[in-house]
């Protein structure tokens, strides 16, 4: 499956932004997916994940209550709605997918467990 992220941009602290990930070349409904982010000089970190059927979502503590991950199987699209943005949310945001579910929550947060990646979209939050 090929993933294409879009929707990043510049926003002031406290503002909102939505990023999207369009998928092609596979059966989108089969893939559990996730968002990761990477700030300059830092490792890629987990942001949020969703089961392939959207039956459950998972969030990093840093974004819980502010971000919402959604999977739209009829549109082959994954989205991340980001509210109450903070300067520390500034990063390149990547969507990722894998072909099977994971029961282990630690694995779900590990970028090495994902096979397919989008190219990333820059989100910058000014103070």
């Amino acid at each position: 499956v090929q993933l294409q992220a879009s929707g990043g941009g510049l926003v002031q602290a406290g503002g909102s932004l939505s990023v999207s990930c369009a998928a092609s070349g596979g059966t989108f409904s089969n893939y559990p997916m996730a968002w990761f982010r990477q700030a300059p000089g830092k490792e890629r970190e987990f942001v949020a994940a969703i089961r392939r059927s959207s039956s459950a979502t998972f969030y990093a503590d840093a974004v819980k209550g502010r971000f919402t991950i959604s999977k739209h199987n009829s549109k082959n699209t994954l989205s991340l709605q980001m509210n109450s943005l903070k300067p520390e949310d500034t990063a390149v945001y990547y969507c990722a997918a894998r072909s099977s579910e994971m029961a282990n929550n630690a694995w779900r947060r590990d970028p090495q467990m994902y096979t397919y990646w989008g190219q990333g979209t820059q989100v910058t939050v000014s103070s």
Side-chain angles (χ1 to χ4, degrees):
V1 63
Q2 292 79 46
L3 304 176
Q4 179 79 29
S6 63
L10 174 64
V11 64
Q12 288 190 330
S16 298
L17 197 64
S18 180
V19 291
S20 296
C21 178
S24 61
T27 304
F28 185 74
S29 59
N30 287 348
Y31 300 107
M33 300 189 71
W35 288 99
F36 289 80
R37 67 186 181 186
Q38 189 166 18
K42 295 188 176 181
E43 293 186 352
R44 192 166 298 190
E45 66 172 358
F46 171 78
V47 175
I50 189 167
R51 291 195 187 278
R52 56 188 168 189
S53 65
S54 301
S55 59
T57 56
F58 310 88
Y59 295 95
D61 288 344
V63 307
K64 197 173 296 182
R66 300 189 297 122
F67 289 14
T68 302
I69 186 172
S70 301
K71 189 170 184 279
H72 313 282
N73 286 340
S74 62
K75 298 180 179 179
N76 287 3
T77 301
L78 178 76
S79 62
L80 183 69
Q81 175 65 41
M82 302 179 287
N83 299 327
S84 302
L85 282 161
K86 305 175 181 180
E88 51 263 42
D89 294 319
T90 295
V92 177
Y93 283 70
Y94 298 90
C95 54
R98 54 175 283 122
S99 57
S100 60
E101 290 285 5
M102 290 177 282
N104 186 308
N105 197 40
W107 295 351
R108 188 174 293 113
R109 299 165 184 260
D110 183 350
Q112 295 188 27
M113 300 304 292
Y114 291 84
T115 306
Y116 309 103
W117 289 87
Q119 85 288 3
T121 185
Q122 176 71 46
V123 172
T124 303
V125 184
S126 62
S127 57

